[in-house]
Amino acid sequence: LFFRPISPAMAVASLRGAGGLAWRLGGVARGPLKRRAFAAAANPSNRYINLGKFETMGLDLGRAATGLAYLQETLEVQQKEYEAETLPFRKSAIGVSLAKSLHEVGRQNHQLGDAETAIGQYQNALQLLTEAIDFREKDAKLTKALIHTRFVKSEVCSSLGVAYFDLGQPETALAHHQEALQLRKDLVGRDHPSVAECLNNLGSLHYARGAFEKAAENFEEALELLPSQETPYVALALYNLGLCRAHQGQPAAAGSALKRALKIAERSLGPSHPQTDLIRSTLRGADAQKAPPGDVGPAGSVPETGEVGGSK
């Protein structure tokens, strides 16, 4: 069976089993590796979410539920504060904080498998951010705050793309991913590491559509932007690239990418981490079959997530 590429949203599904990465690191092997199945089921991993500050909590559903309850309480307090504020400047600032909390709660719900609830929270966050941007665009003194708000919006758009993709709405997902990518490029430049997240998400979407060459280009672009350090982000991009090359009938290139991904995952995540095991299993399947890794269902998608190297 095929292994699905990982994205900062696919990590969500993984959490329900053994925990996953924000850049979703793929699925679980389900049987003999067959190329046809591989092409049909493999799906890229497009979320950085689990690599954020809640990754360790996500590995424990009990702790995740406790953390979510705490976030919900904080959200209710912020909501009341926002509704009671009358001064435009302060209301705008509180609105951005509330949007961040909504985004975080949405991510947690997404990680726990409730993409529909997550989308509602992401949409509410997006509305608050849009209102804040409209207000801050009118005052030159708020330029720094405006840039920050737009970056947060790019994060929310990325999470929406992942969530809609998980619900089987690729066109809507594509629109949000493209908006996130454009916002990110406009704010930090085309060569900033944080752009890699958006490229990985887009690559995952193209992969799911069978556009493996386009997906591979996105994953390669992401790798070029990521720091050379051995991080889970690099392992994720390499894993996704390896899947693409396998689908394209390039076993040597696929094996090379997967071996590098495994080496980095073992060092950055640990040899027994679920995502490390996934990469190891995929590589074994590829070596055994001399063909694309087996077809495995999605590894769970995780909602977007935050700047590269940190949580959103």
Side-chain angles (χ1 to χ4, degrees):
L1 293 182
F2 233 107
F3 281 95
R4 193 177 184 184
I6 302 166
S7 57
M10 293 175 82
V12 171
S14 298
L15 285 177
R16 307 191 78 173
L21 297 180
W23 282 72
R24 188 177 187 179
L25 284 179
V28 179
R30 299 180 185 170
L33 304 182
K34 294 182 179 179
R35 182 160 188 172
R36 184 190 303 180
F38 179 75
N43 267 312
S45 174
N46 53 348
R47 293 80 163 178
Y48 274 123
I49 277 224
N50 283 4
L51 294 179
K53 62 185 178 183
F54 281 94
E55 178 183 6
T56 54
M57 185 177 291
L59 296 177
D60 183 321
L61 293 181
R63 293 184 63 202
T66 299
L68 181 57
Y70 174 77
L71 285 172
Q72 291 281 17
E73 291 179 6
T74 301
L75 193 62
E76 291 175 9
V77 172
Q78 290 180 315
Q79 182 68 46
K80 291 178 181 178
E81 185 180 3
Y82 176 76
E83 293 173 353
E85 185 56 62
T86 58
L87 295 177
F89 178 81
R90 282 186 52 77
K91 194 175 187 71
S92 174
I94 296 173
V96 172
S97 295
L98 177 58
K100 289 181 179 179
S101 294
L102 280 165
H103 184 215
E104 197 61 68
V105 171
R107 288 176 57 206
Q108 289 305 299
N109 279 314
H110 195 168
Q111 284 185 334
L112 292 172
D114 190 350
E116 286 192 55
T117 295
I119 285 177
Q121 290 160 336
Y122 294 153
Q123 292 287 13
N124 288 339
L126 192 61
Q127 181 178 344
L128 287 167
L129 292 169
T130 299
E131 292 174 357
I133 288 172
D134 290 342
F135 175 78
R136 293 176 175 183
E137 283 179 334
K138 301 173 184 177
D139 190 340
K141 296 179 181 179
L142 299 178
T143 299
K144 186 175 181 179
L146 176 61
I147 292 174
H148 171 73
T149 307
R150 285 174 172 164
F151 190 92
V152 175
K153 181 180 179 180
S154 75
E155 295 178 327
V156 175
C157 286
S158 184
S159 293
L160 276 166
V162 170
Y164 276 115
F165 177 82
D166 287 345
L167 288 182
Q169 299 182 42
E171 293 303 323
T172 303
L174 179 61
H176 284 297
H177 282 318
Q178 290 177 328
E179 182 176 6
L181 177 61
Q182 191 58 56
L183 279 168
R184 202 68 63 87
K185 287 181 176 180
D186 290 344
L187 290 169
V188 299
R190 301 175 61 87
D191 300 325
H192 193 278
S194 69
V195 173
E197 177 196 348
C198 300
L199 288 169
N200 186 67
N201 288 347
L202 272 175
S204 296
L205 190 58
H206 289 308
Y207 182 98
R209 291 177 158 185
F212 302 121
E213 182 58 38
K214 181 60 178 177
E217 291 176 4
N218 289 149
F219 295 139
E220 288 180 327
E221 286 183 66
L223 283 166
E224 291 176 1
L225 298 180
L226 290 169
S228 58
Q229 297 98 333
E230 297 185 341
T231 67
Y233 301 109
V234 175
L236 170 65
L238 283 168
Y239 174 82
N240 287 344
L241 178 60
L243 292 182
C244 286
R245 294 312 183 200
H247 274 297
Q248 293 176 297
Q250 301 176 30
S256 176
L258 291 172
K259 287 176 182 177
R260 289 175 60 197
L262 178 59
K263 180 179 178 180
I264 294 173
E266 289 178 332
R267 293 182 179 179
S268 61
L269 294 170
S272 60
H273 190 284
Q275 303 306 335
T276 304
D277 288 340
L278 172 65
I279 298 173
R280 187 180 296 116
S281 296
T282 305
L283 181 57
R284 286 174 181 167
D287 288 341
Q289 300 296 319
K290 301 287 185 182
D295 200 336
V296 173
S301 301
V302 177
E304 119 52 132
T305 59
E307 293 187 52
V308 173
S311 62
K312 288 187 174 187

